[in-house]
Amino acid sequence: MKRFIIALCVAVAALTGVKGNAQTILDTGMPEKLFQFGVRLGFNSSNLTNNYDKVMTGIEWKDNRWRTGFNAGFVVDINFRNFFAIQPGVFVYTRKNDYHMLYTYDNSLGGTGRTTLGAINGTQSTNYLQIPILASLRLGVPQLVQVHLDFGPYLAWGWGGSNKYKEFDTAAGDVVINSEKQPYFGDSTYALCERYDYGIKTGVGVLAMQHFYVGAHYQYGLRNVMKRQGVKGHNKMWTFSLGYNF
């Protein structure tokens, strides 16, 4: 840890111009290794947007909440120069999110207009295999510390998971009137999402002494993954990871 802190301080000094040498910030030299493999492990916070309030009648309020999961994978740095690399990778993610809705419905005989307030509390969880391909701009001293600025597309394939929710009658003291567990993927008419997704991944990382890595990235799905007609939703996720490059 002491060596890491010393190296980080030296790199910060270089990046802020203490040496007054732009070459230190943007090293255009040839890398020592054309390929460098690394492993990553961390946690993520994910969510799934929806337009339920626009396509479902009676929705008075809705809230989508982020939930944590885990991720693990490996990357390959293809180093064209010390300041630039292409980084493909393969990751496994567990994803979760909660959603809550309040809605009104007519509970009177004959539809006389007497309405009751109901509530839905749900949890969606699933797993994804994801392949990002990032362009990575790298600033700093390769042998000490480099800051990575990453941007690129990803492809994802999902499996397993569920959409679990309960409906409550708030007028009756939050009595559960319905409880469901539906598949997240699949051919069922109750399945929530399509298996395949694609989007953009961007973020920043720090690599110390060419081996020790810490990073944070944001991912946004460009595909409408909802299966039901008229319903729209996109995946989004923050990821935080530690790693080691060999």
Side-chain angles (χ1 to χ4, degrees):
M1 178 61 71
K2 184 177 180 180
R3 291 175 60 194
F4 177 83
I5 294 174
I6 294 174
L8 183 61
C9 291
V10 173
V12 170
L15 291 173
T16 52
V18 172
K19 289 187 176 183
N21 186 355
Q23 185 66 22
T24 303
I25 299 175
L26 197 67
D27 189 337
T28 59
M30 294 297 295
E32 296 179 3
K33 297 179 181 179
L34 177 59
F35 299 100
Q36 191 170 21
F37 297 86
V39 293
R40 303 287 186 263
L41 181 66
F43 70 96
N44 47 267
S45 181
S46 58
N47 209 335
L48 175 64
T49 65
N50 65 62
N51 66 338
Y52 291 157
D53 55 329
K54 294 181 174 59
V55 299
M56 297 173 63
T57 59
I59 299 296
E60 301 292 335
W61 172 84
K62 74 179 182 73
D63 180 36
N64 299 328
R65 297 188 180 181
W66 298 70
R67 288 281 300 274
T68 57
F70 299 94
N71 62 80
F74 69 88
V75 298
V76 180
D77 286 338
I78 307 173
N79 299 306
F80 293 95
R81 287 289 189 272
N82 283 332
F83 74 93
F84 181 75
I86 297 295
Q87 186 189 79
V90 177
F91 289 85
V92 173
Y93 292 97
T94 64
R95 301 176 57 114
K96 281 188 176 183
N97 66 279
D98 291 339
Y99 61 97
H100 308 279
M101 293 185 290
L102 294 177
Y103 64 95
T104 56
Y105 65 96
D106 188 345
N107 70 340
S108 60
L109 295 176
T112 59
R114 181 180 178 182
T115 59
T116 296
L117 185 64
I120 297 177
N121 292 335
T123 297
Q124 298 162 341
S125 59
T126 190
N127 312 292
Y128 274 95
L129 177 69
Q130 190 174 111
I131 301 175
I133 302 176
L134 304 179
S136 184
L137 178 65
R138 302 180 170 189
L139 308 177
V141 183
Q143 293 76 18
L144 294 174
V145 173
Q146 279 191 312
V147 176
H148 297 183
L149 305 178
D150 304 325
F151 181 85
Y154 72 81
L155 298 174
W157 179 82
W159 80 94
S162 64
N163 174 32
K164 297 187 294 185
Y165 65 90
K166 292 182 179 180
E167 293 187 65
F168 301 86
D169 184 344
T170 59
D174 291 336
V175 174
V176 177
I177 58 176
N178 187 30
S179 180
E180 297 282 349
K181 180 180 180 180
Q182 299 174 348
Y184 201 94
F185 303 113
D187 298 327
S188 168
T189 55
Y190 298 103
L192 181 70
C193 290
E194 303 284 355
R195 291 189 184 276
Y196 297 97
D197 189 23
Y198 55 85
I200 295 296
K201 179 177 181 178
T202 185
V204 61
V206 177
L207 183 67
M209 295 174 285
Q210 298 182 312
H211 293 293
F212 304 100
Y213 177 85
V214 59
H217 293 80
Y218 178 72
Q219 301 177 179
Y220 184 79
L222 298 178
R223 184 187 187 192
N224 171 27
V225 294
M226 294 294 200
K227 293 193 69 171
R228 299 174 190 177
Q229 186 174 4
V231 180
K232 295 181 180 180
H234 297 267
N235 286 313
K236 52 185 179 179
M237 179 167 60
W238 283 98
T239 66
F240 306 90
S241 58
L242 299 175
Y244 184 86
N245 284 8
F246 298 96

